[in-house]
């Protein structure tokens, strides 16, 4: 445990040394938690088990950027190399040929008894030449490199000809139309790219964007976790579609323990009575893990999932219908205020209407209970189209959502049965 703690502290200090404080703190803990890195620590402990003093250890971790090739198999590292060296070496020239100047490398190396650069036993390479990237993009890039190591991505970096934007991907397609599972492309620039696709959920991928510190972030991805992970690393907010009901984006159905619990069914009936009294048409149903769905005028849609290579049948709102999804509650303080400004984005054959922060909260501090929500509606309900149709027959989607949220605010909070306080 002492060796493990020492190595983690070593890498943390090393990364700060590598990039300097002007770039901000690097999430070194991400590197230390990767399966590959943990495997290397286990092997080091086993190989160093017969050593009493740490300085005499036979193996260690080298981390840094390759700045020069001394010979066919020896590489100089700008970073940290154990055993008092600044270089590492491969056992053969063919392996070294896969590494270029500017690449980042994390390697398990063995001490050389003759004092030569330590020999590489296993390594992870990130093919990114940071020398070609403008300094202002370094903080975001360095954090994504750590995330790339964690998930095993082969990162591809492209800098615009005017040096005002950078595009980072894990081998995502150029045309943005043939994404397979867990592919992404992140654009970071001073201005919005001319060929951008609007935010929305499309048949094979999702597009989300954010603004922070005079930069525009546009993330195009497939799979349900990449937007959350990248958002946490860069500390910018991307819309999260986790509360939606489509295949691969929803949680698996529970064992029905929560869904069939008497308090859950009582809550559903309470919601139904409240909305009937308020004159908001629709039906409440119990979904998975405490989620509940309020729907009106829905139909069945055939959705082709690229990574599944199959067609799924999903429910969705018709032209004048809507679906309001309410997440299971979470308990504890929330610090971000709710806004009432809504933005429509395309979502398959209908529209998703969301606010900057789509949640409802009750109480304060540790007694606070929060629900996340999503609202999908048929295109006839879009408020920006109401001048083109009969507003008496086709109500405003934004007003319907506002009425739903107003009713929810006047209903006492509820927590999952397993979280009820005794």
């Amino acid at each position: 445990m002492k060796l493990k703690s020492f190595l983690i502290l070593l890498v943390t200090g090393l990364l700060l040394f590598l990039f300097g404080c002007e770039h901000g703190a690097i999430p070194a803990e991400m590197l230390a938690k990767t399966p590959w890195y943990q495997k290397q620590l286990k092997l080091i402990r086993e190989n160093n088990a017969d050593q009493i003093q740490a300085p005499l250890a036979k193996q260690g971790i080298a981390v840094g950027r390759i700045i020069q090739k001394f010979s066919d198999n020896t590489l100089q590292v700008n970073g940290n190399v154990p055993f008092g060296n600044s270089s590492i070496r491969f056992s053969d020239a063919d392996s070294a040929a896969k590494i270029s100047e500017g690449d980042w490398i994390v390697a398990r190396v063995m001490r050389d008894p003759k004092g030569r650069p330590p020999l590489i036993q296993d390594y992870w390479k990130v093919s990114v030449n940071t020398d070609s990237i403008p300094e202002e993009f370094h903080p975001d890039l360095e954090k994504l490199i750590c995330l790339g190591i964690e998930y095993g991505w082969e990162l591809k970096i492209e800098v615009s000809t005017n040096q005002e934007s950078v595009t980072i991907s894990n081998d995502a397609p150029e045309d943005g139309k043939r994404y397979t599972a867990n592919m992404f492309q992140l654009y970071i620039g001073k201005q919005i790219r001319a060929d951008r696709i609007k935010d929305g959920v499309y048949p094979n991928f999702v597009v989300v964007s954010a603004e922070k510190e005079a930069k525009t972030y546009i993330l195009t991805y497939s799979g349900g976790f990449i937007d959350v992970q990248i958002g946490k690393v860069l500390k910018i907010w991307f819309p999260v579609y986790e509360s939606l009901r489509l295949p691969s984006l929803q949680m698996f159905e529970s064992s029905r323990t929560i869904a069939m619990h008497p308090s859950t069914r009582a809550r559903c009936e309470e919601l139904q009575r409240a909305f009937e009294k308020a004159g908001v048409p629709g039906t409440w149903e119990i979904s998975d893990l405490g989620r509940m769905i309020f729907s009106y005028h829905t139909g069945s849609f055939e959705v082709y999932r690229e990574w599944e290579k199959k067609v799924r049948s999903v429910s969705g709102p018709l032209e004048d219908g809507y679906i309001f999804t309410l997440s299971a509650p979470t308990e504890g303080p929330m610090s971000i205020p709710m806004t009432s400004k809504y933005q429509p984005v395309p979502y398959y054959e209908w529209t998703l209407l969301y606010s900057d922060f789509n949640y409802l909260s009750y109480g304060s501090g540790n007694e606070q209970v929060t629900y996340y929500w999503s609202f999908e509606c048929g295109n006839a309900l879009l408020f920006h189209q109401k001048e083109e149709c009969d507003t008496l027959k086709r109500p405003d989607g934004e007003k319907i959502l506002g009425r739903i949220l107003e009713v929810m605010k006047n209903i006492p909070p509820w927590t999952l049965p397993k979280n009820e306080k005794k």
Side-chain angles (χ1 to χ4, degrees):
M1 289 299 293
K2 290 184 179 179
L3 177 60
K4 178 180 178 181
S5 299
F6 169 76
L7 287 171
I8 291 177
L9 289 173
L10 178 65
V11 171
T12 303
L14 164 64
L15 289 175
L16 291 175
F17 165 76
L18 278 175
F19 311 114
C21 296
E22 69 275 9
H23 293 330
I26 305 299
E29 68 278 1
M30 297 179 63
L31 174 61
K33 293 178 181 178
T34 66
W36 181 90
Y37 191 83
Q38 289 298 316
K39 175 185 175 183
Q40 305 309 312
L41 288 180
K42 181 176 182 294
L43 291 171
I44 288 174
R45 287 195 298 271
E46 293 173 352
N47 293 322
N48 293 343
D50 59 342
Q51 299 294 328
I52 298 176
Q53 299 179 7
L56 299 178
K58 293 181 296 185
Q59 295 191 7
I61 298 286
V63 185
R65 185 165 59 90
I66 304 302
I67 58 175
Q68 186 178 358
K69 281 193 171 184
F70 281 140
S71 64
D72 290 340
N73 66 341
T74 303
L75 313 170
Q76 185 178 5
V77 178
N78 178 20
N80 185 284
V81 178
F83 318 126
N85 280 268
S86 62
S87 302
I88 55 179
R89 63 187 175 93
F90 284 90
S91 58
D92 59 272
D94 290 340
S95 297
K98 299 177 182 178
I99 306 294
S100 304
E101 292 183 10
D103 288 348
W104 282 35
I105 189 170
V106 184
R108 176 169 56 89
V109 298
M110 176 177 288
R111 175 194 291 272
D112 187 273
K114 297 182 180 180
R116 294 176 298 179
L119 186 65
I120 296 175
Q121 304 298 300
D122 196 0
Y123 73 94
W124 181 265
K125 180 193 74 168
V126 182
S127 300
V128 177
N129 188 342
T130 55
D131 290 337
S132 65
I133 298 170
E135 185 74 12
E136 62 187 299
F137 298 115
H138 277 220
D140 293 331
L141 175 60
E142 290 161 0
K143 295 173 185 178
L144 284 176
I145 286 175
C146 291
L147 188 64
I149 292 174
E150 179 175 4
Y151 287 101
W153 295 331
E154 290 291 339
L155 294 178
K156 178 182 177 183
I157 313 294
E158 293 183 357
V159 182
S160 63
T161 54
N162 60 7
Q163 297 283 297
E164 292 192 349
S165 67
V166 59
T167 301
I168 308 165
S169 68
N170 61 339
D171 202 27
E174 295 294 335
D175 58 10
K177 296 180 180 179
R178 295 182 179 87
Y179 280 72
T180 56
N182 298 333
M183 279 188 176
F184 78 90
Q185 184 179 87
L186 176 66
Y187 167 89
I188 307 175
K190 295 180 180 179
Q191 56 188 5
I192 298 179
R193 56 192 301 174
D195 61 341
R196 71 160 298 185
I197 301 175
K198 291 183 178 180
D199 285 17
V201 182
Y202 299 89
N204 300 324
F205 55 92
V206 176
V207 180
V208 294
S209 62
E211 301 285 336
K212 182 185 178 185
E213 297 175 355
K215 289 192 184 74
T216 297
Y217 296 79
I218 303 174
L219 176 64
T220 306
Y221 70 95
S222 63
F225 74 96
I226 292 178
D227 63 329
V228 180
Q229 296 298 330
I230 292 180
K232 287 180 179 178
V233 171
L234 300 182
K235 299 192 185 313
I236 59 178
W237 181 81
F238 287 123
V240 180
Y241 299 90
E242 61 184 357
S243 61
L244 297 176
R245 306 154 294 97
L246 291 187
S248 83
L249 292 180
Q250 70 177 43
M251 295 183 291
F252 291 108
E253 289 291 324
S254 69
S255 61
R256 306 293 294 174
T257 300
I258 297 174
M260 297 303 294
H261 194 280
S263 70
T264 308
R265 301 181 67 176
R267 174 64 169 181
C268 185
E269 294 172 0
E270 178 186 29
L271 290 171
Q272 187 67 52
R273 290 193 300 270
F275 276 75
E276 288 177 356
K277 182 177 179 180
V280 182
T283 302
W284 279 97
E285 297 176 316
I286 302 171
S287 183
D288 56 313
L289 298 178
R291 287 193 307 186
M292 295 187 186
I293 296 176
F294 183 60
S295 60
Y296 174 75
H297 279 197
T298 61
S300 180
F301 294 82
E302 299 298 314
V303 175
Y304 178 73
R305 309 299 290 178
E306 175 66 27
W307 51 88
E308 293 180 321
K309 303 298 182 185
K310 64 175 63 175
V311 174
R312 294 274 191 174
S313 180
V314 300
S315 63
L318 299 176
E319 280 293 293
D320 61 344
Y322 48 83
I323 297 178
F324 178 78
T325 303
L326 192 67
S327 77
T330 58
E331 298 178 63
M334 295 286 290
S335 59
I336 306 175
M338 180 180 150
T339 178
S340 60
K341 296 180 179 179
Y342 305 112
Q343 176 183 357
V345 295
Y347 189 82
Y348 289 92
E349 298 183 40
W350 57 94
T351 298
L352 174 69
L353 195 65
Y354 71 90
S355 65
D356 291 341
F357 303 101
N358 56 335
Y359 69 82
L360 286 166
S361 290
Y362 301 82
S364 61
N366 293 329
E367 301 299 321
Q368 193 165 8
V369 177
T370 301
Y371 302 86
Y372 291 87
W373 58 262
S374 66
F375 183 77
E376 304 155 73
C377 63
N379 291 331
L381 294 184
L382 282 183
F383 63 89
H384 66 268
Q385 293 181 352
K386 65 182 180 180
E387 294 179 357
E388 303 173 8
C389 60
D390 185 351
T391 56
L392 296 177
K393 296 181 180 179
R394 296 182 178 181
D396 187 334
E398 184 178 12
K399 289 182 179 179
I400 293 176
L401 174 57
R403 291 178 63 192
I404 291 175
L405 295 176
E406 190 62 34
V407 175
M408 289 301 308
K409 290 178 183 178
N410 295 322
I411 300 177
W414 173 83
T415 57
L416 290 176
K418 64 178 181 180
N419 291 333
E420 286 180 341
K421 298 180 180 179
K422 298 182 180 180

